[in-house]
Amino acid sequence: MGLTPNRYGSTDLAQAVARQIKILIAATPGVSVASLARDIGMRRATLSARVNGHAGFNPSLIAQVATRLDTTASAIVAAAERSVDTSSAAA
């Protein structure tokens, strides 16, 4: 699994977590980056940077986001791990 940081300091897993959260936001009716940021007490630009993979999500932030998106942090991370495993196997 890609746990070695790339040149931007982000791992494949961190990027996959951001992608999973972006997918969940898009799939959840009535939720946007702006509304989610408001709900968890974060600036929209800060959350946007994380969702777009420019900054990482820490475990407590993943848990906050997961609660708002009606899932769990472990479900988000597991989906991210599967996507990294799948892409590694295809390479």
Side-chain angles (χ1 to χ4, degrees), residues 3 39 43 47-48 50-52 58 60-61 63 73 77 79 82:
L3 294 179
D39 291 347
R43 289 181 47 237
L47 182 58
S48 180
R50 293 179 191 287
V51 168
N52 288 310
N58 64 42
S60 63
L61 183 55
V77 173
R82 283 190 303 274

Side-chain angles (χ1 to χ4, degrees), residues 21 44 49 70 74 76 85 90:
I21 291 172
R44 186 210 51 80
D70 200 28
S74 58
I76 290 172
D85 288 344

Side-chain angles (χ1 to χ4, degrees), residues 5 7-8 12 17 31-32 36 39 41 43-44 46-48 51 67 79-80:
R7 64 184 173 166
Y8 303 109
D12 291 344
V17 166
V31 175
S32 65
L36 180 58
D39 291 347
R43 289 181 47 237
R44 186 210 51 80
T46 302
L47 182 58
S48 180
V51 168
T67 298

Side-chain angles (χ1 to χ4, degrees), residues 1-6 10-14 84:
M1 187 177 329
L3 294 179
T4 303
N6 63 20
S10 182
T11 64
D12 291 344
L13 182 57
V84 170

Side-chain angles (χ1 to χ4, degrees), residues 53-80:
H54 302 298
F57 282 89
N58 64 42
S60 63
L61 183 55
I62 296 171
Q64 284 182 290
V65 167
T67 298
R68 176 61 182 91
L69 296 173
D70 200 28
T71 188
T72 64
S74 58
I76 290 172
V77 173

